[in-house]
Amino acid sequence: MKVGVVGGGQLGRMLGLAGIPLGMQFRFLEPAAECPAARLGEIIRTPYDDPDGLERFAQDLGFATYEFENVPVQTARWLEERVSLAPNSRALEVAQDRVREKSMLRDLGIPVQAFASISSVGEIAAAVERVGLPAVLKTRRMGYDGKGQHVLREGSDAAAAVQHAWEALGRVPCILEAFVPFDAEVSQVAVRTRRAGGGAHHAFWSLTQNEHRNGILWKSEVPAPCDSDGSLGELARTHVARLMDDLDYVGVIAVEFFVSRGTLLANEIAPRVHNSGHWTIDGAETSQFENHLRAVTGLPLGSTAAHGASVMFNLVGKLPLSSRVLSQSGAHLHLYGKSARTGRKVGHVTLTAQDPAGLQQSAAELAAALPWDA
Ligand code: AMP
């Protein structure tokens, strides 16, 4: 069976690596001249909204999916009319707009921080009144890895500070969010598929604790140290199941949460395989990439059970010495075939062990040896 993937980055590459053993063939829609997925299948090298490129991409495809959330919604809708596309275009639309995303989460009863939309100078005073300071001003669209954001600390004239930040962001539609003094950041990676006879099947990987540096994910850890009694994981599963059911979602989703005052506040939805789920390749019975493809193509899901404990580190900006990484017992190295450049994710390393306590020491040693250029 042939699966089309919109996007040919590292997530597309890892989808290909997971699907080929299942007998799947891949076609990627990717405008960049060189891309990490290049050796994993056929590449249609055109812009994401090029009608001719889309025709060639969709020809004889059984299934299609996407590996990044800024796919034009028109492209997703066009594909949806011709092939079986998952996740659906509604999930994409919601995730592309931070105000729609937060409104939907709130309406589903999933707690979020206070927020307000700002599209004009006239909306600033009311937004500041509602949210207060400290706050974070973010562009509604196209933000990633902490880009397109300004943190506003408490000061004398909140409205003037917000206006200044809004102008610095280019006066584009923004969201003002209350700054959350979080104790930890976690994500819930999950998968949903439709059952043949009706209804849905959900599966969840372990709640993952994440640490960012310069707004970029640095470390993901399982089991999450902040969830020693498992209650946060239980709550995250309830929230994410409700969200997936409402979206009639098919495929892998990731929801990022802040842990604050012992509970969860949802921050962001990724309607795709996610960086904080990379540990599942080496640390779980079935990886997020394989289960995404199983869901998208209507195959039964595999177990999401974790094999002991895992810690994943992203490799950003510089490649490490492979021999150093692999000298660490339990280390699995994944390089994406990209040239190194400041701020660019070029690979990741996952350390796995049966016992979380044993992993701490080797994770600290490995972390000290890894380059980071953001
Ligand atoms: P985002 O693009 O929304 O995922 O934000 C990137 C990172 O910035 C998050 O992982 C947090 O570390 C931080 N951040 C974003 N929004 C907030 C907030 N409202 N309060 C505190 N920290 C935040």
Side-chain angles (χ1 to χ4, degrees):
M1 79 177 68
K2 190 166 268 185
V3 180
V5 182
V6 183
Q10 62 262 22
L11 301 178
R13 176 188 176 100
M14 288 184 270
L15 284 169
L17 289 169
I20 288 169
L22 301 180
M24 295 176 184
Q25 293 180 314
F26 289 88
R27 182 183 291 154
F28 299 93
L29 182 67
E30 169 60 57
E34 277 175 40
C35 68
R39 303 236 170 86
L40 279 302
E42 186 190 342
I43 306 282
I44 307 291
R45 188 152 290 142
T46 64
Y48 299 119
D49 53 0
D50 177 71
D52 179 54
L54 278 174
E55 287 287 353
R56 283 191 286 138
F57 175 68
Q59 197 170 15
D60 310 323
L61 270 191
F63 305 94
T65 186
Y66 45 89
E67 57 109 62
F68 70 110
E69 64 266 39
N70 289 321
V71 174
V73 171
Q74 298 303 351
T75 294
R77 292 213 188 102
W78 187 92
L79 285 170
E80 219 158 29
E81 282 167 18
R82 287 157 182 87
V83 294
S84 166
L85 175 80
N88 59 36
S89 59
R90 185 169 159 240
L92 193 69
E93 244 183 310
V94 169
Q96 283 181 357
D97 178 347
R98 291 185 191 270
V99 171
R100 279 194 68 177
E101 180 180 65
K102 288 249 156 49
S103 306
M104 180 181 184
L105 289 162
R106 181 197 55 202
D107 295 348
L108 286 171
I110 300 168
V112 292
Q113 66 270 53
F115 68 94
S117 156
I118 296 179
S119 307
S120 65
V121 178
E123 287 174 325
I124 292 178
V128 168
E129 175 85 5
R130 172 120 132 249
V131 174
L133 289 189
V136 189
L137 186 72
K138 304 177 180 177
T139 56
R140 279 175 73 157
R141 295 179 167 275
M142 303 298 266
Y144 67 97
D145 285 348
K147 296 196 172 49
Q149 303 193 4
H150 275 275
V151 176
L152 299 145
R153 308 273 169 207
E154 275 146 304
S156 48
D157 189 345
V162 172
Q163 183 169 342
H164 186 71
W166 183 64
E167 280 163 6
L169 289 175
R171 302 171 71 95
V172 295
C174 283
I175 184 170
L176 185 71
E177 292 177 4
F179 183 88
V180 181
F182 56 80
D183 300 315
E185 292 188 83
V186 294
S187 56
Q188 180 62 62
V189 183
V191 61
R192 181 178 182 272
T193 190
R194 283 194 205 101
R195 286 188 199 275
H201 181 200
H202 307 81
F204 302 87
W205 285 271
S206 304
L207 189 74
T208 304
Q209 186 161 333
N210 303 313
E211 212 180 291
H212 295 82
R213 282 183 175 177
N214 324 88
I216 304 178
L217 182 66
W218 150 244
K219 179 180 178 186
S220 288
E221 199 171 352
V222 163
C226 66
D227 190 26
S228 49
D229 67 359
S231 59
L232 293 176
E234 203 180 313
L235 188 59
R237 291 193 290 277
T238 309
H239 290 333
V240 177
R242 193 177 310 145
L243 175 66
M244 290 194 292
D245 285 342
D246 190 81
L247 289 169
D248 193 19
Y249 198 88
V250 169
V252 165
I253 196 169
V255 182
E256 295 183 74
F257 297 94
F258 297 121
V259 180
S260 180
R261 299 195 178 92
T263 193
L264 298 176
L265 292 176
N267 182 45
E268 198 165 34
I269 302 169
R272 54 170 171 82
V273 285
H274 191 253
N275 198 167
S276 69
H278 289 1
W279 66 268
T280 62
I281 300 175
D282 307 297
E285 195 83 19
T286 314
S287 76
Q288 62 166 347
F289 299 99
E290 181 173 336
N291 261 347
H292 182 70
L293 292 166
R294 291 191 192 206
V296 166
T297 61
L299 292 169
L301 296 180
S303 161
T304 50
H307 303 306
S310 296
V311 179
M312 185 229 55
F313 294 104
N314 265 338
L315 301 171
V316 173
K318 280 199 178 107
L319 289 161
L321 207 57
S322 297
S323 56
R324 167 64 189 88
V325 172
L326 297 173
S327 67
Q328 198 93 26
S329 161
H332 305 268
L333 177 62
H334 300 260
L335 300 179
Y336 306 150
K338 291 160 108 176
S339 53
R341 194 194 316 139
T342 299
R344 199 177 206 200
K345 292 176 185 167
V346 289
H348 71 268
V349 184
T350 304
L351 275 180
T352 57
Q354 275 315 308
D355 166 30
L359 200 55
Q360 291 307 321
Q361 175 69 21
S362 57
E365 281 170 26
L366 180 64
L370 295 178
W372 177 272
D373 176 16

